[in-house]
Amino acid sequence: MTVNEIADKLKMKVLAGDGNTQVKGFYACDLLSWVISHAQTGNMWLTIMNNLNVIAVASLTDIACVVVAEGVEIDEAVINRAREKEITLVSSELPAAEIILKAYELMK
Amino acid sequence: MNDKLKIAVDLHIHTALSPCGDSEMTPGNIVGMAVVNGLSAIAITDHNISYNAQAAVEIGKELGIVVIPGMELETAEQIHVVCLFPDCDKLAKFQNAIDNVLPNIPNKKEIFGSQLIYNSDDEIVGEHEGMLLVSTTITIDDALLLAEKFGGIAYPAHVDRDSYSVLTTLGTLPYDYKYDFVEISCVCDIEEICNRYPELKKYKLMRASDAHYIDKLQEANTFIEVDTVSPHGIIEALKNGGVISAV
């Protein structure tokens, strides 16, 4: 499934990027230094971190998208940077675990 | 034409007001130990709070050592930043702003420890009841700006540590970090941390003890170059390239 398909089903907002990338697995972590070395290509990365460096890490790791969970408000600067770097950035009201469980069911 | 003064400092020290601070960390003991260690200036930096700074500043004046009033703030991203101010009034204004972003949770002192407030005679005059070992809701970017707004400076603490460090949490320094230095812990292996984060080679590294116990205060091994030996002079030096990098 693509990011857009999952976002649509779970009522998540795609704030930047085209969302056409296929999601291959999930990765949830808020320590960016850890994400850099552990996230896998194609992962949907779930975090509550609202910082420009999130976009830098997303660029480095070749993930499918970033989902900022739990309704954390995302700075305009972060959204703009995601657009600039063509990173798919998604916002959700749900906690990370719930997003993963629901998306996993959809993808089965 | 170098008439700057090179002074030894330890700009990150906790008192017994920090829940994890030892009960021997009274303002009097800390300032006295700093004099014994040959330091010219120290900073009092308790977790999200500053009520022991005034007493330490007054004791510092008696003993002839500069005490900078400060705080170790925990940002929304769970990053610790050292915040220093030229005087207690400016710090009090900063404290007011921080009180508004600090969650209102009671401290569990049997788990985290007591949070004791002292006067300048080193007598306990109160105990802070709110939980201090928590994240505020202010972001690191906003915290750095807020400290400047009140005439101070804020910069990332112990960047080499595995927790509460900007490098661990954000993977790198904040995007538009403007100072030329960061703080490292007293046990930092500089070669190792610079290999892990090569961007650090562009920054000066300033050691600080982050002491929670009286025997952990730093010896005279960390220096900055200042125009005047005062809280204001030291803050200006930190902002303007005065840190002499640890090697």
Side-chain angles (χ1 to χ4, degrees), chain B residues 17-39:
Chain B
L17 178 52
S18 291
C20 41
D22 189 58
S23 60
E24 285 183 15
M25 291 301 260
T26 66
N29 284 350
I30 290 168
V31 176
M33 184 57 85
V35 172
V36 170
N37 282 5
L39 302 174

Side-chain angles (χ1 to χ4, degrees), chain A residues 27-105:
Chain A
Y27 191 76
C29 184
D30 299 311
L31 289 182
L32 304 197
S33 60
W34 196 265
V35 178
I36 290 171
S37 50
H38 291 76
Q40 304 288 320
T41 302
N43 279 174
M44 172 179 271
W45 169 30
L46 302 105
T47 181
I48 52 164
M49 188 67 82
N50 164 38
N51 186 281
L52 277 176
N53 290 11
V54 166
I55 306 306
V57 169
S59 309
L60 277 174
T61 48
D62 216 16
I63 52 162
C65 69
V66 184
V67 179
V68 179
E70 303 214 34
V72 169
E73 204 176 315
I74 309 172
D75 285 350
E76 206 57 40
V78 175
I79 299 170
N80 289 337
R81 183 62 54 83
R83 288 185 182 134
E84 205 179 291
K85 299 284 180 195
E86 298 177 351
I87 298 295
T88 299
L89 177 65
V90 181
S91 166
S92 173
E93 297 295 322
L94 301 174
E98 211 170 311
I99 296 168
I100 295 170
L101 286 168
K102 288 182 170 164
Y104 181 77
E105 283 301 315

